[in-house]
Amino acid sequence: MKQHFILLLIFLFFTVCAFSQTVEGYVKDAATDEVLTGTSVYYKDKGDMVAVLTDVKGYYKINVPDGGTILYYSYLGYEPETHPLVVRKGQTLQLDMYLKVQTELMKEVVVSAGRFDQKLSEITVSMEVLKADQIAKQNATDLSVVLNTLPGVDVTDKQPSIRGGSGWTYGVGSRSLVLVDGMSILTPAVGEINWNLIPMENVEQVEVLKGASSVLYGSSALNGLINVRTSRPGLTPKTRLNMFQGTYMDPKNESYVWWDKNFWQEGKFPVVPLFRRNLLSGIRNPIYTGVDVSHTRRIGDFDVSAGLDLYTDEGYRQDNFNQRVRIGGNLTYHDPNVEGLSYGLNANILSNKYSGFFIWRSANEPYMQSPMSNMGREGNMFYVDPFLNYFNSEKNTVHRLKGRYFYKSDQIVSNPTDKSLADILGNMGYDYTKTSELAGIIQDPQSILPAFTPYLNPLDISGLVKGVESLGKYYFPKATAPDIVDLMSFITNRMPIPDDPTEMISWINNAVDPAPKTSPADHTYSAYLDYQFSKKWNDIQFTTGTTYEHTANQSAVTGDHASDNIALFFQYDQKLFDKLNVSAGMRLEYYRVDSLYKEAETDIFGLDMPFKPVFRAGLNYELAEYTFLRASFGQGYRYPSITEKFVYKDIGGVAAYPNKDLKPESGFNAELGIKQGYKVGNFMGYLDVAGFYTYYKDMIEFQFGAFNTTTFDYIDNIGEMVGDILVGQIPGLGTRFANVSRAKIYGLDMSVMGMWKISPSTQMTYNVGYTYIEPIDADWKETQEDEAAHPDKIKEKSNDSKYLKYRQKHTVKGVFDFQWNRLTVGTNLTYKSKTLAVDYFMVDERTTQPSFSDEVMDVVRSIIFPGLHDYWEAHNTGYFAMDGRIGVEVTKKIQFWVMMNNLWNKEYTLRPMDVSAPRTLILQMNAKF
């Protein structure tokens, strides 16, 4: 009986197998015939989804019910396809599917908004998308260049700002998070964006999410998110090569030129571009050169990609250079024994030598850096990112595990002046017979106070200034303000004179031929782990996860500090009535620095909880075909980086001072928007309009001014400054980060993107945007009242307006490209209105009767920032700039470009002493093999 039962079971098994229905085949790219690994193939059965993924060969096999069925094919970046079919009992159907690359802008697929694939038209927040070809035609030396062409996005001094969310912080403590394949490239401990780390040679798509994104991505996404997605290998090996060379032309004002035909041969310049000594030796102007190469391929069950980037920029401003060598790649293994499982690692190594530009020497020499801020950096960094992904097609679940180990070592190398002491004194007309007399004053500064006593009680600023000028002309009859700064910088860096006679020879040699001054190297270590789980039920998507990061910073100057960050996040997304997309999320974040600081402490019903909760919610409703309304609200939160709290860099000149009491900043962003697709004749694309409101509490700003060099306190009144000087405590010039105010930023952001299909071989693409912002300092009235009550107080900003510093109200941008057969002609257009306010320590824009403190500050500015007031008054009027380019596709694989940036050679500035690059000629070659 038992044997009969077993035979019956075997018979039933084979009967079921014989009458099961199967569809199998391959999914490929319709244009290249390349297989598409990981394509989702599914059908719906009584409301449930049954799905499989194609394997590394693009093959799929799925069991379907008998009778009529609709198969769906979905792959990121491709048009989704549906295929209705009828399968009889027991039938096996061979069905290959060819997918087309996504071309309709309204169906663009993005991942940044919710950490899963979504159509651009259905997300609940504003987003801009850049494709690889858009980046290539901009000759983007780094990503910040092309981001500046996007509506609502600005990058100043490498610091991104979305809709006016950030002012000027000189790169440190970014409010906009930058990711590469979902992993942050913000430097741990510093919080700066190192644009040199982004693999431009292998970028597939860039997604810019506007508005607070802290729920899914954490602290630094307070103002928005920039996610760079790299291209993935296929069966066909691909190699991309990009070579370019740019030449900075002469500015309109020829007096700015500091170079000559042999300037690079003298050996005084920190970097030498590729081919500079041979092929490009005849070019007398500063240049930059670069070579990018990448290779991707699939080898068996492995995806392999590798890239190399070489870039050197001499800089149009003296001692403002950049040199990088970056090597990186990815290795992914698709496990053939476990469907949906893949794992591997990403790695990147960067060697970098660079210097920014902070303060000019004078308004007559805006391309020459002040010796007080002439600091370069040298360093190396690398990271290794192991990861594991598992997609369970039966349960519709995804597990993602990502880790990172990061290390960075860098040091400041100061070259405060390339002039010797003899050169400086010679320029100032110094009489060497008065050396012993001057040395006595240096050793005892208070010895000259009696000469100024008549001007001190009561204080007579004009008399005091005349007395100082008289004393200066006595010793230095030919001195100009820049010469005085040269001498101040030299003294700061080379003094004191050694007491030990055996060290005098070394000191004298250094005074005659100054050597660079190097600070001790800083070391940063970071370990990061991110786990994400998501599950889909029909039209419901649930995402949750946790992150942990430990950062250690070792510095001989600031001391050793460490931080820990732990977060837990949840996100719920659902589509209702096939029209309405609903999204909601929450994040709990814990952060501490060392053992004494609980940065994320929150008062909840009277209890101090050691974490910070943030929330977001959004709606997107399809009002009509190609018409989508959206509304969103998101809280943001950003804790200050270790550098912002503890930085202390003082190797002469302008210093950076710590602020241990710096608090986290928080806020929220709300917006209402509409995305409208259109097709009028041969025009097609979409219009996007959004009104937004952003609020910040305890906003962190860059504070520039005078500081007590012992306590590091900010000196906010003239009386304190004069008092310190009288007792021999000379204030330090520098910067620090401080919680300065509450802020309200609201406005309108609109853009039109699309294509005009003129003929089968002729088309024009365009992206035009306008952004209007009202960046209001919510505490401006209280600040004015306080300044009025204390006339000796050093003011916060350059005018009495209600506006935040370093913002512009109106911005218009346009990118146009006309393509005819193999020829492309394009242009970038930018208009910006005037900068609303800057630091008072730099510029005083008030027209009222100057107070006592104003008079003193005018004297300080005239020495440290020669000519800045008049220059800013003349040039802070808004500007219009234009770039042009012509590209020729020689073959399907090789393209040449000739570009001219700043076509009309405009001279403009967005912040004091940061003058735009002159007209720049660029030659570029792109090749794909």
Side-chain angles (χ1 to χ4, degrees):
M1 182 67 182
K2 184 178 179 180
Q3 292 176 337
H4 291 147
F5 182 70
I6 294 175
L7 287 174
L8 179 60
L9 288 178
I10 295 174
F11 173 76
L12 290 173
F13 172 77
F14 281 105
T15 300
V16 171
C17 291
F19 287 99
S20 64
Q21 300 72 235
T22 303
V23 181
E24 61 182 1
Y26 294 86
V27 181
K28 302 180 181 181
D29 184 299
T32 65
D33 207 37
E34 182 177 311
V35 300
L36 300 178
T37 300
T39 302
S40 179
V41 183
Y42 62 93
Y43 65 88
K44 295 180 180 179
D45 183 17
K46 297 178 182 179
D48 295 327
M49 181 184 292
V50 180
V52 297
L53 293 176
T54 57
D55 63 15
V56 292
K57 297 179 180 179
Y59 174 77
Y60 75 95
K61 183 177 181 180
I62 186 170
N63 294 327
V64 299
D66 64 310
T69 304
I70 298 178
L71 277 186
Y72 298 86
Y73 298 80
S74 176
Y75 188 75
L76 181 64
Y78 285 75
E79 296 277 4
E81 292 285 348
T82 59
H83 193 91
L85 48 85
V86 177
V87 186
R88 301 184 184 92
K89 278 191 176 181
Q91 181 182 6
T92 297
L93 182 65
Q94 180 72 29
L95 180 61
D96 296 338
M97 184 57 62
Y98 294 84
L99 303 185
K100 296 179 181 179
V101 174
Q102 181 67 259
T103 56
E104 292 188 43
L105 300 174
M106 296 292 287
K107 295 182 179 179
E108 192 76 65
V109 177
V110 296
V111 299
S112 301
R115 282 200 174 197
F116 66 94
D117 293 355
Q118 293 174 280
K119 290 181 181 179
L120 179 61
S121 59
E122 295 181 351
I123 64 176
T124 62
V125 291
S126 293
M127 181 181 285
E128 298 282 346
V129 178
L130 278 169
K131 290 293 190 179
D133 60 336
Q134 295 172 286
I135 297 172
K137 66 188 178 186
Q138 301 287 347
N139 186 58
T141 53
D142 61 52
L143 188 63
S144 67
V145 175
V146 70
L147 287 175
N148 260 326
T149 67
L150 293 178
V153 182
D154 297 295
V155 183
T156 302
D157 276 337
K158 305 298 183 181
Q159 177 73 49
S161 173
I162 298 175
R163 294 172 172 171
S166 294
W168 175 51
T169 59
Y170 207 56
V172 178
S174 176
R175 291 193 186 103
S176 300
L177 182 61
V178 180
L179 308 172
V180 175
D181 291 328
M183 295 290 284
S184 171
I185 63 156
L186 266 64
T187 305
V190 180
E192 68 177 346
I193 300 170
N194 192 327
W195 300 97
N196 290 317
L197 267 177
I198 298 177
M200 297 298 294
E201 68 278 3
N202 198 33
V203 174
E204 184 68 24
Q205 179 168 299
V206 179
E207 301 167 6
V208 181
L209 194 153
K210 303 176 182 179
S213 306
S214 295
V215 167
L216 285 179
Y217 294 100
S219 166
S220 295
L222 173 64
N223 182 223
L225 175 76
I226 301 166
N227 188 20
V228 180
R229 295 166 58 187
T230 59
S231 59
R232 291 307 176 198
L235 283 180
T236 303
K238 291 182 181 179
T239 300
R240 296 199 296 190
L241 173 66
N242 178 41
M243 300 178 66
F244 58 88
Q245 188 263 316
T247 303
Y248 298 109
M249 313 297 283
D250 289 351
K252 280 187 177 181
N253 191 331
E254 295 182 357
S255 66
Y256 295 175
V257 175
W258 52 271
W259 53 78
D260 58 46
K261 64 180 180 180
N262 295 318
F263 82 101
W264 61 271
Q265 294 177 331
E266 297 175 359
K268 295 181 179 180
F269 301 90
V271 297
V272 179
L274 295 170
F275 314 119
R276 181 42 135 162
R277 299 189 182 278
N278 38 64
L279 183 63
L280 305 175
S281 61
I283 301 176
R284 74 177 185 91
N285 291 51
I287 66 172
Y288 60 86
T289 62
V291 176
D292 301 329
V293 60
S294 67
H295 180 76
T296 62
R297 68 186 306 150
R298 182 167 295 148
I299 304 175
D301 296 322
F302 288 90
D303 287 347
V304 181
S305 63
L308 170 67
D309 171 57
L310 306 174
Y311 173 69
T312 305
D313 181 5
E314 291 173 327
Y316 67 94
R317 296 179 291 198
Q318 192 172 22
D319 294 317
N320 180 199
F321 55 87
N322 187 12
Q323 184 177 65
R324 68 173 180 250
V325 178
R326 187 188 65 247
I327 302 173
N330 166 272
L331 180 66
T332 302
Y333 177 66
H334 299 274
D335 195 323
N337 300 314
V338 182
E339 181 183 354
L341 177 64
S342 63
Y343 44 88
L345 58 86
N346 298 301
N348 228 338
I349 302 173
L350 172 68
S351 179
N352 206 189
K353 184 178 182 180
Y354 63 99
S355 174
F357 192 94
F358 192 26
I359 301 176
W360 66 23
R361 190 168 188 267
S362 74
N364 297 322
E365 304 159 296
Y367 284 3
M368 299 184 70
Q369 187 148 215
S370 168
M372 298 188 72
S373 64
N374 191 355
M375 300 181 194
R377 284 182 176 270
E378 295 181 5
N380 301 287
M381 66 179 70
F382 76 88
Y383 64 77
V384 178
D385 297 349
F387 62 87
L388 182 148
N389 300 318
Y390 175 62
F391 173 70
N392 189 317
S393 59
E394 294 181 358
K395 297 181 179 180
N396 259 330
T397 58
V398 178
H399 300 265
R400 301 184 188 278
L401 184 64
K402 297 181 291 187
R404 166 169 290 180
Y405 175 76
F406 176 95
Y407 170 74
K408 175 186 176 183
S409 172
D410 75 334
Q411 58 188 144
I412 292 178
V413 179
S414 174
N415 187 22
T417 177
D418 58 2
K419 299 182 181 70
S420 67
L421 183 59
D423 290 337
I424 297 172
L425 295 178
N427 291 337
M428 301 174 74
Y430 176 63
D431 184 353
Y432 284 89
T433 62
K434 301 173 181 177
T435 299
S436 59
E437 185 179 337
L438 185 60
I441 295 176
I442 294 175
Q443 291 177 358
D444 183 17
Q446 296 188 7
S447 64
I448 62 170
L449 287 181
F452 299 102
T453 301
Y455 308 115
L456 297 178
N457 191 17
L459 191 61
D460 179 3
I461 293 297
S462 60
L464 192 62
V465 171
K466 289 179 181 178
V468 173
E469 288 179 346
S470 176
L471 183 65
K473 288 181 179 179
Y474 174 75
Y475 289 104
F476 310 105
K478 297 180 181 180
T480 63
D483 294 328
I484 294 173
V485 173
D486 286 345
L487 182 61
M488 290 170 56
S489 176
F490 188 93
I491 292 173
T492 303
N493 282 274
R494 309 300 167 183
M495 294 295 184
I497 298 174
D499 295 328
D500 188 346
T502 62
E503 298 178 4
M504 281 298 299
I505 295 179
S506 175
W507 186 91
I508 293 172
N509 288 335
N510 193 29
V512 173
D513 186 17
K517 188 176 181 181
T518 304
S519 69
D522 291 347
H523 303 275
T524 302
Y525 308 84
S526 177
Y528 175 85
L529 190 65
D530 179 284
Y531 169 71
Q532 176 185 327
F533 169 80
S534 61
K535 181 174 178 60
K536 190 169 185 179
W537 297 274
N538 298 322
D539 293 324
I540 297 175
Q541 177 85 30
F542 175 72
T543 305
T544 186
T546 183
T547 65
Y548 170 73
E549 182 176 26
H550 173 77
T551 299
N553 188 52
Q554 298 176 355
S555 171
V557 179
T558 65
D560 297 346
H561 300 281
S563 67
D564 290 286
N565 178 214
I566 304 172
L568 182 66
F569 61 87
F570 310 90
Q571 174 97 357
Y572 176 87
D573 295 89
Q574 184 175 5
K575 190 165 189 175
L576 301 171
F577 320 116
D578 208 32
K579 293 280 187 181
L580 178 64
N581 289 278
V582 180
S583 180
M586 180 182 72
R587 186 183 189 92
L588 300 174
E589 187 147 355
Y590 168 81
Y591 179 76
R592 73 174 181 90
V593 178
D594 299 334
S595 58
L596 302 176
Y597 297 90
K598 294 181 180 179
E599 302 288 351
E601 197 166 68
T602 306
D603 185 344
I604 301 178
F605 301 116
L607 297 176
D608 289 333
M609 307 300 291
F611 59 82
K612 177 72 176 180
V614 290
F615 303 89
R616 71 168 298 269
L619 301 172
N620 182 300
Y621 181 70
E622 186 177 358
L623 184 64
E625 187 176 14
Y626 303 122
T627 303
F628 297 85
L629 300 177
R630 67 179 183 274
S632 68
F633 173 87
Q635 291 182 310
Y637 174 76
R638 190 180 80 83
Y639 47 78
S641 65
I642 290 176
T643 296
E644 287 175 275
K645 290 177 72 73
F646 300 107
V647 62
Y648 177 57
K649 300 289 187 182
D650 187 9
I651 58 174
V654 178
Y657 294 99
N659 184 359
K660 296 180 181 180
D661 297 323
L662 193 63
K663 297 182 292 185
E665 57 183 351
S666 59
F668 66 84
N669 173 267
E671 76 163 51
L672 290 172
I674 180 172
K675 190 181 291 291
Q676 175 65 61
Y678 64 86
K679 191 176 190 307
V680 181
N682 292 329
F683 285 89
M684 63 173 293
Y686 66 78
L687 165 70
D688 193 286
V689 182
F692 60 88
Y693 180 90
T694 302
Y695 174 83
Y696 289 132
K697 178 184 176 183
D698 293 323
M699 190 175 191
I700 298 174
E701 288 275 321
F702 203 49
Q703 199 171 38
F704 192 95
F707 293 83
N708 185 301
T709 56
T710 301
T711 64
F712 306 139
D713 291 335
Y714 178 68
I715 300 176
D716 66 354
N717 66 82
I718 294 298
E720 182 182 350
M721 181 185 296
V722 174
D724 287 349
I725 294 174
L726 292 178
V727 298
Q729 178 72 45
I730 306 300
L733 176 67
T735 64
R736 74 169 183 175
F737 296 90
N739 301 105
V740 296
S741 63
R742 296 174 299 129
K744 296 185 292 186
I745 305 169
Y746 59 88
L748 182 71
D749 188 8
M750 58 189 300
S751 60
V752 181
M753 176 181 288
M755 176 189 300
W756 178 23
K757 194 71 174 177
I758 304 171
S759 73
S761 60
T762 309
Q763 67 180 27
M764 184 176 74
T765 59
Y766 51 88
N767 185 4
V768 184
Y770 166 67
T771 305
Y772 165 76
I773 64 170
E774 279 284 318
I776 297 175
D777 178 354
D779 298 323
W780 71 283
K781 290 184 178 180
E782 291 84 352
T783 300
Q784 279 194 4
E785 292 171 358
D786 182 57
E787 291 174 352
H790 302 87
D792 64 338
K793 188 179 183 66
I794 298 176
K795 300 172 180 66
E796 286 187 7
K797 57 186 179 183
S798 57
N799 53 46
D800 291 323
S801 72
K802 62 182 178 181
Y803 296 114
L804 297 167
K805 296 181 292 185
Y806 305 105
R807 272 88 167 176
Q808 301 80 36
K809 271 193 178 185
H810 305 278
T811 303
V812 181
K813 297 181 181 181
V815 179
F816 299 86
D817 282 284
F818 175 83
Q819 183 177 347
W820 174 64
N821 290 325
R822 296 187 177 186
L823 178 68
T824 300
V825 179
T827 184
N828 299 341
L829 308 174
T830 302
Y831 166 76
K832 274 189 168 295
S833 59
K834 64 179 290 185
T835 299
L836 297 169
V838 297
D839 279 292
Y840 170 79
F841 205 90
M842 293 184 176
V843 178
D844 184 3
E845 299 176 292
R846 291 169 175 82
T847 57
T848 55
Q849 181 68 28
S851 65
F852 165 71
S853 63
D854 294 332
E855 293 178 351
V856 174
M857 287 305 304
D858 282 343
V859 175
V860 174
R861 292 190 201 96
S862 66
I863 297 173
I864 301 174
F865 315 122
L868 176 58
H869 180 274
D870 292 341
Y871 185 93
W872 185 250
E873 187 176 48
H875 289 82
N876 183 33
T877 55
Y879 72 90
F880 171 78
M882 179 178 181
D883 303 333
R885 56 184 169 273
I886 299 176
V888 178
E889 193 178 80
V890 179
T891 69
K892 288 186 176 296
K893 296 182 178 180
I894 299 177
Q895 191 174 35
F896 286 95
W897 288 90
V898 178
M899 308 177 190
M900 191 74 78
N901 290 345
N902 194 1
L903 197 59
W904 309 121
N905 213 10
K906 290 273 189 176
E907 181 179 341
Y908 56 88
T909 180
L910 291 177
R911 63 99 173 157
M913 297 175 286
D914 183 24
V915 180
S916 60
R919 181 187 293 124
T920 305
L921 174 65
I922 304 154
L923 304 177
Q924 181 184 31
M925 183 198 75
N926 295 323
K928 297 179 181 179
F929 305 100

